[in-house]
PDB file of all heavy atoms in Angstrom:
ATOM      1  N   LYS O 310     197.554  31.145 164.250  1.00 78.00           N
ATOM      2  CA  LYS O 310     197.481  30.592 165.596  1.00 78.00           C
ATOM      3  C   LYS O 310     198.818  30.827 166.284  1.00 78.00           C
ATOM      4  O   LYS O 310     199.876  30.542 165.748  1.00 78.00           O
ATOM      5  CB  LYS O 310     197.178  29.103 165.536  1.00 78.00           C
ATOM      6  CG  LYS O 310     196.939  28.490 166.889  1.00 78.00           C
ATOM      7  CD  LYS O 310     196.493  27.054 166.751  1.00 78.00           C
ATOM      8  CE  LYS O 310     196.240  26.487 168.139  1.00 78.00           C
ATOM      9  NZ  LYS O 310     195.793  25.109 168.068  1.00 78.00           N
ATOM     10  N   ILE O 311     198.747  31.369 167.522  1.00 77.00           N
ATOM     11  CA  ILE O 311     199.964  31.614 168.306  1.00 77.00           C
ATOM     12  C   ILE O 311     200.238  30.384 169.161  1.00 77.00           C
ATOM     13  O   ILE O 311     199.345  29.872 169.831  1.00 77.00           O
ATOM     14  CB  ILE O 311     199.798  32.851 169.208  1.00 77.00           C
ATOM     15  CG1 ILE O 311     199.550  34.084 168.334  1.00 77.00           C
ATOM     16  CG2 ILE O 311     201.019  33.050 170.085  1.00 77.00           C
ATOM     17  CD1 ILE O 311     199.241  35.326 169.124  1.00 77.00           C
ATOM     18  N   LYS O 312     201.472  29.929 169.102  1.00 81.00           N
ATOM     19  CA  LYS O 312     201.847  28.770 169.887  1.00 81.00           C
ATOM     20  C   LYS O 312     202.656  29.218 171.102  1.00 81.00           C
ATOM     21  O   LYS O 312     203.547  30.047 170.985  1.00 81.00           O
ATOM     22  CB  LYS O 312     202.663  27.787 169.039  1.00 81.00           C
ATOM     23  CG  LYS O 312     201.865  27.206 167.907  1.00 81.00           C
ATOM     24  CD  LYS O 312     202.674  26.205 167.133  1.00 81.00           C
ATOM     25  CE  LYS O 312     201.806  25.640 166.005  1.00 81.00           C
ATOM     26  NZ  LYS O 312     202.498  24.610 165.268  1.00 81.00           N
ATOM     27  N   TYR O 313     202.327  28.648 172.227  1.00 82.00           N
ATOM     28  CA  TYR O 313     203.038  28.938 173.468  1.00 82.00           C
ATOM     29  C   TYR O 313     203.718  27.666 173.956  1.00 82.00           C
ATOM     30  O   TYR O 313     203.184  26.571 173.782  1.00 82.00           O
ATOM     31  CB  TYR O 313     202.080  29.451 174.537  1.00 82.00           C
ATOM     32  CG  TYR O 313     201.471  30.786 174.226  1.00 82.00           C
ATOM     33  CD1 TYR O 313     200.222  30.871 173.624  1.00 82.00           C
ATOM     34  CD2 TYR O 313     202.158  31.946 174.489  1.00 82.00           C
ATOM     35  CE1 TYR O 313     199.656  32.097 173.330  1.00 82.00           C
ATOM     36  CE2 TYR O 313     201.600  33.173 174.195  1.00 82.00           C
ATOM     37  CZ  TYR O 313     200.365  33.247 173.606  1.00 82.00           C
ATOM     38  OH  TYR O 313     199.832  34.460 173.314  1.00 82.00           O
ATOM     39  N   GLN O 314     204.821  27.846 174.615  1.00 81.00           N
ATOM     40  CA  GLN O 314     205.512  26.737 175.232  1.00 81.00           C
ATOM     41  C   GLN O 314     205.114  26.709 176.720  1.00 81.00           C
ATOM     42  O   GLN O 314     205.088  27.754 177.368  1.00 81.00           O
ATOM     43  CB  GLN O 314     207.026  26.898 175.120  1.00 81.00           C
ATOM     44  CG  GLN O 314     207.534  26.831 173.693  1.00 81.00           C
ATOM     45  CD  GLN O 314     207.278  25.476 173.071  1.00 81.00           C
ATOM     46  OE1 GLN O 314     207.430  24.448 173.707  1.00 81.00           O
ATOM     47  NE2 GLN O 314     206.863  25.473 171.820  1.00 81.00           N
ATOM     48  N   PRO O 315     204.813  25.563 177.270  1.00 80.00           N
ATOM     49  CA  PRO O 315     204.482  25.476 178.699  1.00 80.00           C
ATOM     50  C   PRO O 315     205.668  25.955 179.547  1.00 80.00           C
ATOM     51  O   PRO O 315     206.823  25.730 179.193  1.00 80.00           O
ATOM     52  CB  PRO O 315     204.223  23.987 178.918  1.00 80.00           C
ATOM     53  CG  PRO O 315     203.888  23.449 177.568  1.00 80.00           C
ATOM     54  CD  PRO O 315     204.688  24.272 176.602  1.00 80.00           C
ATOM     55  N   THR O 316     205.359  26.620 180.631  1.00 77.00           N
ATOM     56  CA  THR O 316     206.413  27.055 181.566  1.00 77.00           C
ATOM     57  C   THR O 316     206.458  26.094 182.737  1.00 77.00           C
ATOM     58  O   THR O 316     205.463  25.460 183.081  1.00 77.00           O
ATOM     59  CB  THR O 316     206.137  28.488 182.090  1.00 77.00           C
ATOM     60  OG1 THR O 316     204.861  28.504 182.713  1.00 77.00           O
ATOM     61  CG2 THR O 316     206.167  29.492 180.959  1.00 77.00           C
TER      62      THR O 316
END
Side-chain angles (χ1 to χ4, degrees):
K310 187 174 181 179
I311 299 174
K312 295 183 179 183
Y313 294 96
Q314 295 296 320
T316 57

